[in-house]
Amino acid sequence: MKNNKLIAKFMGLRTNSYGDYNIDKDVMGFDMIVCSLADTKFHESWDWLMPVVERIEAELEEEFRVVILEHECSIYQKTQDHELQDAFQCVAQKFGTSKIEATYNAVVEFIKQYNDEQ
């Protein structure tokens, strides 16, 4: 649950006075008005996890790429090589027993690093 809370904060989800999350369709892409932390499903639902992947790729100035392959997920950051050409450096890589587990774990690792840099 701690990692789901980390992801919810990264996604900008706000809590109400009862500590429940107010889910905005513009943020998550689906309708759910209120849910508790225990009801968040980032760790088990692509409907919950893919908006996070999309935010990493799209909203962070297109600086990052997420590659999901079988039971592995890697997140790369755009850099420039010595010839000033675009290159990518792996900043998070995780393996799992399933594709969603590997992706979830890589996203959590990425967010922890991203938060440390902010």
Side-chain angles (χ1 to χ4, degrees), residues 52-118:
V52 184
V53 169
E54 290 170 353
R55 173 157 189 252
I56 290 170
E57 289 188 325
E59 291 187 30
L60 299 179
E61 300 175 10
E62 298 184 6
E63 194 174 324
F64 298 95
R65 298 289 180 266
V66 180
V67 177
I68 304 167
L69 181 64
E70 296 185 12
H71 296 226
E72 173 186 354
C73 180
S74 302
I75 301 176
Y76 297 91
Q77 183 173 18
K78 187 187 297 185
T79 61
Q80 291 185 340
D81 65 14
H82 64 281
E83 296 176 0
L84 300 179
Q85 296 177 344
D86 287 345
F88 289 90
Q89 173 184 358
C90 186
V91 295
Q93 182 177 41
K94 290 293 182 178
F95 300 88
T97 58
S98 67
K99 189 176 290 199
I100 195 165
E101 178 185 14
T103 305
Y104 175 79
N105 290 335
V107 163
V108 168
E109 181 180 332
F110 170 82
I111 291 171
K112 287 178 181 178
Q113 290 178 29
Y114 181 80
N115 287 344
D116 287 344
E117 293 175 5
Q118 298 301 312

Side-chain angles (χ1 to χ4, degrees), residues 4 10 13 17 26 40 43 46 62 67 83 89 97 107:
N4 281 355
F10 176 78
L13 300 180
S17 59
D26 292 336
T40 59
H43 60 292
W46 287 112
E62 298 184 6
V67 177
E83 296 176 0
Q89 173 184 358
T97 58
V107 163

